[in-house]
Amino acid sequence: MSWKLKTFDELTTRELYSILKERTEIFVVEQNCPYLEVDGKDLSSYHLYKEVDGEIAAYLRILPAGVSYQEASLGRVIVKKEYRGQGLAQELLRRGIDFTLNELKEDTIKIQGQHYLEKFYGSFGFQTISDVYMEDGIPHVDMLLEKEANG
């Protein structure tokens, strides 16, 4: 199992296909939520993922400031069903936060998290900055992590 971090242009077609397949499987099929999964933001994003036997086991995309929000952002956070409960989500978030704050030199990260994951994201220092709202039929909250608050 190895972690990889690539820009869009560094992804092979097989890697991109695997990433989009898993994101669609989870966000569209598993969550029964038809929406435009391929939204054009991948081109400007960094893609952090772990492969196991050629499959995407865990993934998130890192969006530089100005792509989704004024702040940098993390999104499309997934762990494939077979790999859940093994701590991959925690490691994935830690790596994404570390890269954003230390390599991209961003001071703030904004996310749009599903409401049921609010405590999970809060455990990394994210603070809720909105009321619960519906996005594609799923309750969400906006959350912010500020570098000085994260240490």
Side-chain angles (χ1 to χ4, degrees):
M1 296 198 309
S2 61
W3 286 98
K4 297 182 180 182
L5 178 70
K6 295 186 175 189
T7 64
F8 182 83
D9 289 335
E10 293 170 332
L11 293 169
T12 67
T13 53
R14 286 192 182 278
E15 288 168 329
L16 178 61
Y17 179 86
S18 294
I19 288 166
L20 296 176
K21 178 182 176 292
E22 292 308 325
R23 286 185 1 196
T24 303
E25 175 66 30
I26 291 171
F27 292 121
V28 178
V29 178
E30 183 180 316
Q31 296 182 358
N32 193 25
C33 184
Y35 75 108
L36 188 59
E37 209 312 293
V38 180
D39 60 5
K41 295 178 183 179
D42 291 311
L43 299 164
S44 304
S45 299
Y46 293 89
H47 304 270
L48 175 63
Y49 59 99
K50 180 171 231 148
E51 284 185 319
V52 179
D53 298 326
E55 288 186 331
I56 301 297
Y59 168 89
L60 67 73
R61 71 177 177 184
I62 301 164
L63 300 99
V67 176
S68 276
Y69 307 108
Q70 177 181 330
E71 306 85 358
S73 184
L74 304 178
R76 300 295 200 263
V77 179
I78 62 168
V79 175
K80 189 172 180 160
K81 200 176 277 190
E82 301 91 285
Y83 300 101
R84 294 178 188 163
Q86 301 176 21
L88 285 180
Q90 290 83 353
E91 187 174 355
L92 178 66
L93 257 289
R94 277 194 300 273
R95 287 173 178 268
I97 291 167
D98 181 65
F99 179 79
T100 305
L101 297 179
N102 298 314
E103 300 300 319
L104 295 182
K105 306 292 187 206
E106 295 290 344
D107 293 328
T108 308
I109 302 172
K110 183 175 182 178
I111 62 170
Q112 180 186 52
Q114 291 185 15
H115 183 242
Y116 85 97
L117 292 169
E118 186 175 11
K119 286 183 182 170
F120 171 74
Y121 290 121
S123 72
F124 293 92
F126 284 94
Q127 300 291 316
T128 303
I129 59 167
S130 75
D131 291 331
V132 177
Y133 59 91
M134 297 301 282
E135 178 78 22
D136 297 316
I138 298 173
H140 281 75
V141 290
D142 291 340
M143 301 183 81
L144 209 61
L145 181 144
E146 297 185 75
K147 189 171 187 174
E148 53 275 2
N150 193 41

